[in-house]
């Protein structure tokens, strides 16, 4: 019985040791990750290990994990335009490594490849592209500038084994002098619009005055012709019509009295 128990104990210890060795020789590659194997004798292997559980030789081999999912990064750059204006640009880049290029990336750049590559190539490309445009063109042709930056930066990143899924300009400002110049230009344009409005208004008033004067001239000519044809009769008619209108207006007032010629008694105008 004692020998049996001793055998079972030895078997248990052997299984535990075997299980520990096997467990130490296993590693997991999570979703969205890839592994590169470093061998102490052969160096970095060219094979890229995919997702799942895999074996490796403890102490001799070591798995190095890489995240191959797309990640964002903002890169601020201060540069100069074609007309020597200071331009502050922030570029948002959505990047990921090429899975098959991971052994070379690890050998040449390391696991912090994005810190080593993205700031430098972004500065290089942005400064080269912005120098082709004036500050005003950076505003009016922003889509063209963004497209040019995207094409050249994508090509530059491909040389390092990186894929850029999206590139966008999120921030674009200019120096104080250019900003003040733009504000002054806007004020000048507003003043010019105001002056043009005043000139157009004066022109319209001038035309209205000319039209009114021409109308008065025609009316005077018509009256003169009428007087020439009718003599003083037309004037007498207008005088009688005016007297009738005045008499009617006075008759509507209670406080107005009328004293006929050669009569001393005041008569109410309404009784006349």
């Amino acid at each position: 019985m004692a020998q049996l128990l001793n055998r079972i104990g030895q078997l248990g210890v052997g299984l535990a040791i075997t299980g520990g060795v096997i467990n130490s020789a296993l590693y997991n590659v999570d979703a969205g990750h890839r592994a590169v194997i470093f061998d102490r004798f052969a160096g970095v292997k060219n094979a890229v290990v995919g997702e799942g559980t895999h074996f490796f030789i403890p102490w001799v081999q070591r798995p190095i994990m890489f995240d191959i999912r797309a990640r964002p990064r903002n890169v601020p750059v201060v540069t100069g335009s074609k007309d020597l204006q200071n331009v502050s640009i922030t570029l948002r880049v959505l990047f990921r490594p090429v899975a098959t290029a991971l052994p070379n990336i690890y050998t040449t750049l390391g696991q912090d490849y994005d810190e080593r590559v993205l700031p430098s190539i972004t500065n290089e490309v942005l400064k080269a592209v912005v120098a082709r445009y004036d500050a005003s063109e950076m505003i009016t042709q922003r889509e063209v500038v963004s497209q040019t930056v995207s094409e050249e930066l994508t090509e530059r990143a491909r040389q390092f084994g990186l894929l850029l899924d999206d590139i966008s300009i999120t921030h674009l400002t200019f120096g104080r002098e250019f900003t003040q110049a733009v504000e002054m230009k806007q004020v000048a344009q507003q003043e010019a619009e105001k002056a043009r409005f005043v000139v157009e208004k004066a022109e319209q008033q001038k035309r209205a005055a000319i039209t009114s004067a021409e109308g008065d001239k025609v009316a005077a000519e018509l009256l003169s012709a009428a007087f020439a044809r009718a003599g003083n009769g037309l004037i007498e008619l207008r005088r009688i019509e005016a007297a009738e209108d005045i008499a009617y207006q006075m008759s509507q007032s209670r406080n107005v009295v009328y004293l006929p010629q050669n009569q001393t008694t005041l008569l109410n105008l309404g009784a006349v």
Side-chain angles (χ1 to χ4, degrees), residues 9-86:
Q10 292 176 354
L11 180 60
V13 172
L15 290 175
I17 294 174
T18 303
V21 171
I22 294 175
N23 184 63
S24 65
L26 293 176
Y27 67 95
N28 293 322
V29 179
D30 296 331
H33 291 71
R34 295 293 184 271
V36 174
I37 301 299
F38 172 76
D39 191 290
R40 292 181 181 272
F41 302 105
V44 177
K45 292 183 175 296
N46 292 326
V48 177
V49 183
E51 301 167 358
T53 302
H54 306 275
F55 287 97
F56 74 104
I57 303 174
W59 187 83
V60 176
Q61 294 179 336
R62 176 168 57 92
I64 299 147
M65 301 298 173
F66 283 90
D67 187 351
I68 63 169
R69 295 171 296 185
R71 291 177 292 164
R73 183 182 179 90
N74 293 327
V75 182
V77 177
V78 177
T79 183
S81 62
K82 185 178 179 181
D83 53 352
L84 303 181
Q85 297 292 336
N86 290 329

Side-chain angles (χ1 to χ4, degrees), residues 231-244:
N232 294 332
L234 181 60
I235 298 176
E236 186 65 21
L237 176 61
R238 293 289 184 268
R239 187 182 67 79
I240 294 173
E241 290 176 349
E244 289 179 351

Side-chain angles (χ1 to χ4, degrees), residues 150-197:
S150 178
E151 293 175 356
E152 296 191 10
L153 189 57
T154 300
E155 181 62 29
R156 192 75 174 89
R158 189 178 291 113
Q159 300 174 8
F160 296 92
L162 300 181
L163 294 178
L164 304 183
D165 294 330
D166 182 68
I167 301 173
S168 58
I169 297 175
T170 59
H171 180 73
L172 177 63
T173 58
F174 300 92
R176 182 181 303 175
E177 295 79 5
F178 180 78
T179 304
Q180 292 176 349
V182 171
E183 293 176 353
M184 292 176 63
K185 181 179 179 180
Q186 291 177 344
V187 172
Q189 289 177 344
Q190 292 175 355
E191 293 293 337
E193 290 292 332
K194 182 179 180 180
R196 187 178 68 177
F197 173 76

